[in-house]
Each structure stands twice: as structure tokens, then as C-alpha cells.
């Protein structure tokens, strides 16, 4: 059994994907081929923004956004405490300081009240250092981006939407990756829309930032690659990955989102009285990057992991440690008292196999095993 079944996805779409790869091989335009620009246009249209700039991976996408805003030493950036490491890592990478914010127990996303409390904890004389909020669309469901944007705007901060797991999700009919002043996503193979290697993208309606990011991703180039006007990085999406993503975006829109909705509904129908199943808010649609349940305590969670493993059922814990307890952030001030939900979730969450190619029989088998553990 596969946790994210990329093998079946490839087999069912092999002809189209192989044809797209072959076209790149025949052209030998492996870097900056025409497929890259085509993909950027399709992604921008799908998300509903003016500009999409692809790059080497989702972490670079976040980094490029912070660099475009000239965020650096002395600046404060608010970020969820319960997220993947890169969401906060990039803040430190540019020399700024992350301020960790607790998350909502039901949705796993940044808690708006906790954000306000984190802002209130910043000394008055340091308020000018508050530059941005990183709102993560965790497990496929967008954060409460409208409310978070209002808070950020009230304090003169920019909103960076980390849609690495949220691509395809919706808030009030509007696509994830369209809410931030800049938004980003990842095309890591296990993401809702994944390529066959690393890849990422940046989205914005701001022309100047888009142009700066295009420059930054290719060594800070100006008129050409030997005219370097700023310090940048080497972070281009290669043509092979773009060609694969064009085909996978098509099936993502035509088929995969709907199938993930069906799989999630089957899970919830069987498990909602057994464990705490994911809650998708009425105004939201999740792209189901993960199907994550919560147990009442860590001991029961660990028993479930062991029992499912014996039956050949893969599981994963996203995430085993909150950001404020990561060794890499040991020198950064934080209040454990204000980050209780994030810490608790790390002990009780468990993600089950989730992808568009899950069969009903497979879901039934997983649910039966979960029910047996709970009983």
C-alpha cells in the first residue's frame, strides 16, 4: 500500500506524461524551455493572479518572497508554530527573527487570536520591526486568510501565503495561493500537484515584485544572465519538470481534486466516531495534501501506528515537534504557554494514506484497522 500513490498516477497517465517528457528530450532545451513559460501562464490562470514565477523548490519560493521584500536583520516575521521547518527556516535564512504563533485545534492553521496575542507581546518600541506574516495552508485547507490579512494590514505588515500544501484549496470560491501579497507553493512529488523532482512557484499581482523575483531566481540578473544587478540565487524550474507539471495540472483539475474529496468523505464517514477527523470549514475546500486525524492521547496514537504497520498500512506524523522546540531555533525567544495547541498536536496527530487513486476497499481496510485499535 502506498501512502501517496505516485506509481498508479503515472501508470494511468503514462502516455501523456511520456509524450511530454519525450518532447523535451527531443528539443534538448532542458533549462528555460518553452514549457516553463507555458506552465507559468497556466498556473497563474488557475490560481487567479497576474504573475507566476516558477523556481527550484517550495523553500526557495518562500525565500525569494522575503528577499523581494528586502526583509532581513532585525525584522520580525510571524509564522505558525505547527508547520514544516522551511516555513520558519527561510525567515532566519534572511537574517530576520521568527515569532511563533499557535494554531487552531480543529483546522491546524494559524489561530487569529494567537496572532493578535503574539503581536501584543512585541514591545511598543519594537513594533516598527514587524514586517510580515507567513500564513500556512496546512494539509490542504487554506488558513483564515481574510482575517489574517486584516490583522497584518492593521499593523502595516505584508502577508506571505505558504501554499505548499494548499494548492487547489479554496476559501469562499477563491483559490489558495491568491491571497497573499505574495503566495508560494511546492511541487515536491507528494504535494497535491507534484512533479518528478523538486519544484516551486511564486504568485503575485504585483508587477515590480514579480520582476525582482525573476531576477533573483537567476543570480540577480538584469538585461541578461551576465548582467547581474543584485545578489540572487540559482533556482530555476527545469523544462522536464515543467512539462510533467503541465500534464499533471490537467488531470489535477479534471479528476484528482474530486477523487480526493470522495476519499476524504469515505474516511470521515467511517472514522468520525472513532477519532477526531479533519474539520473543513464551511467556506473552505481542502485539496487534501494529508488526511490527518487526532487521537485523545499520544499513547493511543503510537499504538495505532504500530498496529497499522503490522498490517502493511503506512502512516506519517506531521509534525513530531513544534517549531519553538526545534534545536535550530533554540536561541529564539518564545512562550511555551502561548503555544500549547501546537505542542499538544505533535503528540496526537496521525496522517493516513491519502491520494486520488485510493480505492474504496483500501479505505475500508484502513478504517477497519483504526476501529480495531480504538476498540
Amino acid at each position: 500500500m502506498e501512502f501517496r500513490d505516485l506509481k498508479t498516477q503515472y501508470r494511468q497517465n503514462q502516455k501523456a506524461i511520456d509524450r511530454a517528457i519525450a518532447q523535451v528530450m527531443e528539443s534538448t532545451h532542458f533549462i528555460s524551455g518553452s514549457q516553463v513559460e507555458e506552465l507559468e501562464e497556466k498556473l497563474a490562470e488557475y490560481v487567479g493572479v497576474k504573475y507566476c514565477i516558477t523556481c527550484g523548490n517550495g523553500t526557495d519560493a518562500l525565500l525569494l518572497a522575503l528577499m523581494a521584500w528586502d526583509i532581513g536583520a532585525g525584522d520580525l516575521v510571524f509564522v505558525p508554530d505547527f508547520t514544516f521547518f522551511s516555513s520558519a527556516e527561510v525567515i532566519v535564512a534572511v537574517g530576520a527573527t521568527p515569532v511563533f504563533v499557535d494554531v487552531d485545534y480543529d483546522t491546524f492553521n494559524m489561530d487569529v487570536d494567537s496572532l493578535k496575542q503574539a503581536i501584543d507581546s512585541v514591545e511598543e518600541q519594537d513594533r516598527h520591526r514587524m514586517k510580515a506574516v507567513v500564513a500556512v495552508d496546512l494539509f490542504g485547507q487554506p488558513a483564515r486568510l481574510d482575517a489574517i490579512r486584516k490583522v497584518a494590514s492593521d499593523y502595516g505588515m505584508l502577508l506571505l501565503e505558504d501554499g505548499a500544501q494548499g494548492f487547489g484549496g479554496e476559501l469562499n470560491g477563491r483559490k489558495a495561493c491568491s491571497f497573499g501579497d505574495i503566495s508560494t507553493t511546492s511541487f515536491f512529488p507528494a504535494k497535491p500537484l507534484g512533479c518528478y523532482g523538486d519544484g516551486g512557484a511564486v504568485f503575485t499581482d504585483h508587477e515590480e515584485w514579480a520582476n525582482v523575483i525573476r531576477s533573483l531566481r537567476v543570480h540577480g540578473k538584469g538585461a541578461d544572465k551576465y548582467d547581474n544587478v543584485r545578489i540572487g540565487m540559482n533556482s530555476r524550474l527545469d523544462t522536464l519538470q515543467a512539462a510533467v507539471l503541465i500534464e499533471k495540472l490537467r488531470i489535477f483539475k479534471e479528476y484528482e481534486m474530486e477523487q480526493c474529496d470522495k476519499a476524504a468523505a469515505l474516511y470521515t464517514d467511517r472514522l468520525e466516531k472513532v477519532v477526531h477527523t479533519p474539520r473543513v470549514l464551511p467556506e473552505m475546500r481542502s485539496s487534501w495534501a494529508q488526511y490527518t486525524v487526532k487521537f485523545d492521547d499520544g499513547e493511543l496514537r503510537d499504538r495505532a501506528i504500530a498496529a497499522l504497520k503490522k498490517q502493511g498500512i503506512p502512516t506519517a506524523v506531521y509534525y513530531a515537534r513544534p517549531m519553538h522546540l526545534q534545536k535550530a531555533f533554540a536561541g529564539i525567544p518564545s512562550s511555551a504557554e502561548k503555544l500549547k495547541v501546537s505542542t499538544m498536536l505533535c503528540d496526537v496527530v496521525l496522517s493516513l494514506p491519502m491520494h486520488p487513486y485510493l480505492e474504496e476497499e483500501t479505505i475500508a481496510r484502513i478504517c477497519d484497522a483504526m476501529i480495531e485499535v480504538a476498540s
Side-chain angles (χ1 to χ4, degrees), residues 67 215-216 219-220 228-233:
M67 292 172 69
S215 168
L216 287 168
H219 303 290
N228 306 99
V229 298
R230 54 177 58 86
I231 301 299
M233 64 174 76

Side-chain angles (χ1 to χ4, degrees), residues 99-360:
V99 180
F100 298 115
V101 177
D102 212 357
V103 298
D104 176 73
Y105 174 82
D106 289 325
T107 67
F108 307 105
N109 284 326
M110 180 180 280
D111 181 80
V112 179
D113 289 334
S114 181
L115 173 60
K116 294 176 182 176
Q117 292 170 11
I119 291 170
D120 288 341
S121 70
V122 177
E123 298 291 339
E124 190 67 36
Q125 65 268 22
D126 293 327
R127 292 288 176 91
H128 69 282
R129 298 168 55 206
M130 303 189 308
K131 300 296 183 180
V133 177
V134 178
V136 181
D137 302 332
L138 204 65
F139 301 154
Q141 180 172 200
R144 291 179 58 199
L145 293 158
D146 290 340
I148 293 170
R149 171 178 280 284
K150 184 179 186 308
V151 174
S153 297
D154 287 346
Y155 289 90
M157 290 188 285
L158 295 162
L159 175 61
L160 174 54
E161 180 189 359
D162 180 353
Q165 297 181 30
F167 187 87
E170 297 179 7
L171 167 57
N172 291 322
R174 181 176 165 186
K175 288 285 192 295
C177 299
S178 71
F179 289 89
D181 294 294
I182 294 178
S183 303
T184 67
T185 198
S186 167
F187 301 126
F188 183 80
K191 293 295 192 288
L193 177 64
C195 57
Y196 289 159
D198 268 324
V202 182
F203 302 91
T204 187
D205 285 323
H206 196 289
E207 184 178 9
E208 181 180 350
W209 293 339
N211 289 334
V212 171
I213 290 167
R214 289 191 187 98
S215 168
L216 287 168
R217 69 173 173 176
V218 189
H219 303 290
K221 76 170 186 175
D224 59 63
K225 66 179 180 180
Y226 298 116
D227 173 35
N228 306 99
V229 298
R230 54 177 58 86
I231 301 299
M233 64 174 76
N234 180 19
S235 186
R236 297 166 296 194
L237 182 73
D238 70 70
T239 312
L240 279 168
Q241 301 302 338
V244 169
L245 284 166
I246 289 170
E247 292 303 322
K248 292 185 71 172
L249 177 61
R250 177 182 56 79
I251 62 174
F252 179 78
K253 294 188 293 184
E254 291 178 358
Y255 174 81
E256 292 188 338
M257 279 286 292
E258 182 180 352
Q259 291 304 114
C260 281
D261 284 339
K262 291 179 179 178
L266 288 170
Y267 266 136
T268 300
D269 184 60
R270 291 289 307 277
L271 295 179
E272 61 184 350
K273 294 182 180 179
V274 178
V275 290
H276 302 281
T277 52
R279 182 189 174 202
V280 178
L281 300 180
E283 66 271 25
M284 303 281 190
R285 183 184 185 186
S286 177
S287 58
W288 298 109
Q290 309 292 343
Y291 187 90
T292 301
V293 302
K294 298 185 291 284
F295 289 84
D296 288 332
D297 59 65
E299 182 181 350
L300 186 56
R301 191 269 305 273
D302 293 343
R303 287 212 309 268
I305 293 172
L308 269 61
K309 184 178 181 179
K310 285 184 179 179
Q311 297 191 41
I313 300 172
T315 59
V317 174
Y318 302 106
Y319 298 95
R321 184 175 293 125
M323 291 298 99
H324 79 278
L325 293 181
Q326 294 286 352
K327 183 178 179 180
F329 298 136
I332 295 171
S334 62
S335 172
E337 183 67 24
K338 295 179 180 178
L339 300 167
K340 286 183 176 180
V341 175
S342 297
T343 304
M344 179 270 293
L345 286 173
C346 291
D347 291 332
V348 300
V349 293
L350 183 65
S351 296
L352 304 176
M354 185 63 186
H355 54 80
Y357 304 92
L358 269 175
E359 298 179 349
E360 288 190 32

Side-chain angles (χ1 to χ4, degrees), residues 28-42:
T28 68
H29 293 157
F30 300 118
I31 302 295
S32 302
S34 62
Q35 290 88 339
V36 175
E37 184 176 352
E38 179 185 350
L39 173 67
E40 290 177 342
E41 291 174 354
K42 290 180 180 295

